[in-house]
Amino acid sequence: LYFRLAEAYGCWLDAIFFDVPYEVCLERNALRQRRVPLEAMERMARKLRPPSYDEGFRKIWVVDAAGRARLLRRPKGGVPGSQFPAQG
């Protein structure tokens, strides 16, 4: 839906992916006044998949737990199926 809408208006779509370990999410959730139920956190963590350039994004930004952002490079030669490198 969003890609069709963007195309209709001559716009691009960029993705911002928060690459934060699940344990950090749990810690941060515990500090919130309005906590997300644990069942919902577990369900979303199981479903979460990083975006791919194959989906049609112009740029994919990855933000780590410290708030640092980096631009994910497109695969060389236009090879589909970009993967996120292991974070150390």
Side-chain angles (χ1 to χ4, degrees), residues 2-72:
Y2 294 109
F3 288 101
R4 286 193 305 255
L5 187 60
E7 185 179 5
Y9 286 94
C11 298
W12 294 95
L13 285 180
D14 293 354
I16 301 173
F17 180 73
F18 292 89
D19 189 16
V20 178
Y22 181 64
E23 296 76 23
V24 173
C25 294
L26 292 175
E27 291 168 7
R28 291 178 180 176
N29 189 49
L31 299 174
R32 294 173 49 122
Q33 285 185 342
R34 292 180 50 206
R35 292 184 185 100
V36 176
L38 182 58
E39 300 80 29
M41 301 256 321
E42 290 171 348
R43 185 174 57 251
M44 293 307 294
R46 283 192 305 272
K47 294 168 89 175
L48 183 64
R49 298 290 178 264
S52 166
Y53 281 110
D54 290 342
E55 296 175 75
F57 292 109
R58 179 184 65 144
K59 293 181 181 178
I60 298 176
W61 293 93
V62 181
V63 180
D64 67 18
R68 295 178 298 250
R70 65 183 174 84
L71 181 63
L72 182 69

